[in-house]
Amino acid sequence: MKPSILLLLGASALLAQADPPVTTATLDESEVRITYGELKRLVAATLPKEHPPEVKPQPQVPAALLSARYCLDLKASSITAEMHVENFDGTWHAIPLAGAGAGAMAVEPKDARLVVDHDHLCLITDKAGTQSVKLTYALAKEGQRTTLHLAASPLASLEIKDLPEGRVLRLEHGSSTQTLTSSGLAALPAAGGEVTFALEDSRKAAQPPLAGLTDDALVSSATYITQVVRDGSALTEGLITVRHDHPVRLLLQLPAPAKLLQCHVNGEPVHPAVGEAGRMEIPLDDPAADGGESEVKISFTCTLAPLQLAEGELELALPQTPFFARQIDWNVQLPSTYDLSFSGNVDPMTDKPAVAGLHLRKSLCRDQQPQARIIYRKRTTN
């Protein structure tokens, strides 16, 4: 027993000698062995964290027309539009500069890329920052109208150079009219839209209209031809002769649900201002002499029910105008296999021309819409 106790006491003494107390000095002299991957992670944890680069929000308007200044030069018979645009993000954009109703004669710089997109003349560019573009338009001669379709621009103005003595410039936008009597600057609508310029004699422009006493214009004659085919498609073409002393707007209201195809005034294409319920305003320039006439050609379409094989009825109508009309002639044509009759607020023509179809007439009317119910029956053969 005694030898065992002595052996345990000896082992305890040896253990006591093998485990010296841990101190700061002993830790500083200690060795630590770790893998390279663990060391790399420890070093990375001590480095300052990199913040991702700040991303600026994209502009809500990536590109836009900033300003437009129109310069009217009567000596050169031209209108020059100096425009400033900006591309905010440097990607491809089509920036509207003007409506496509009137084509430009020239553009600066010459390498500017212009296209027609959504009824607008547009600058195609991917160049970041601001750019300048200049468009040149032809100016109509005195007494006639020049119509431009402006694109929306926060800054829009008109500069008039060397307005001749005894002349004024009439500026029309929608229902508003402004008469400019001297050279200088005039504001244009920031919302854009159709603007009409007309150079007039100041004495003639100063004459007040005789409201309620005389009409501004009257329809001397009007001739319409309506063609209806078997599937119900209908085309109406009209020639309207208007007598007037001053520039006027011919007011027409198309029958529902007709859609305008084309409009010409004295052989030149025009784009009427079309409002609700098919209401149109067609500008007519100052005639060469008092009591002069303007010729207006229009065409419009509509879709009716398909024609029946044996017999049937269809409703047709012509445009309505508040102007007094002396005489409106109307020829209605259906396929030749039908016999036709009618009822309505029109009369049969007694002097029928040698053209197939129904020949109808409306005389001495104001603000009335010629209408006819056409009854058709398949022609019987003996």
Side-chain angles (χ1 to χ4, degrees), residues 33-65:
R33 295 175 180 173
I34 60 176
T35 64
Y36 175 75
E38 188 66 23
L39 176 63
K40 184 177 179 181
R41 284 191 291 272
L42 290 174
V43 173
T46 63
L47 296 176
K49 295 183 179 180
E50 296 183 359
H51 296 283
E54 183 180 357
V55 179
K56 294 183 178 180
Q58 293 294 326
Q60 294 184 356
V61 180
L65 173 63

Side-chain angles (χ1 to χ4, degrees), residues 25-36:
T26 59
L27 285 176
D28 291 341
E29 295 177 357
S30 301
E31 294 183 0
V32 177
R33 295 175 180 173
I34 60 176
T35 64
Y36 175 75

Side-chain angles (χ1 to χ4, degrees), residues 215 217-221 241-243 321-328 363-367:
D215 285 351
L218 61 85
V219 177
S220 301
S221 64
T241 303
V242 182
R243 181 177 179 180
T321 177
F323 292 169
F324 180 81
R326 292 183 182 274
Q327 182 173 294
I328 302 174
S363 302
L364 304 180
C365 60
R366 181 197 298 273
D367 210 9

Side-chain angles (χ1 to χ4, degrees), residues 298-309:
I298 64 170
S299 59
F300 58 89
T301 62
C302 65
T303 302
L304 309 171
L307 300 182
Q308 302 297 316
L309 293 177

Side-chain angles (χ1 to χ4, degrees), residues 5 35 101 128 196 348 353:
I5 294 173
T35 64
T196 299

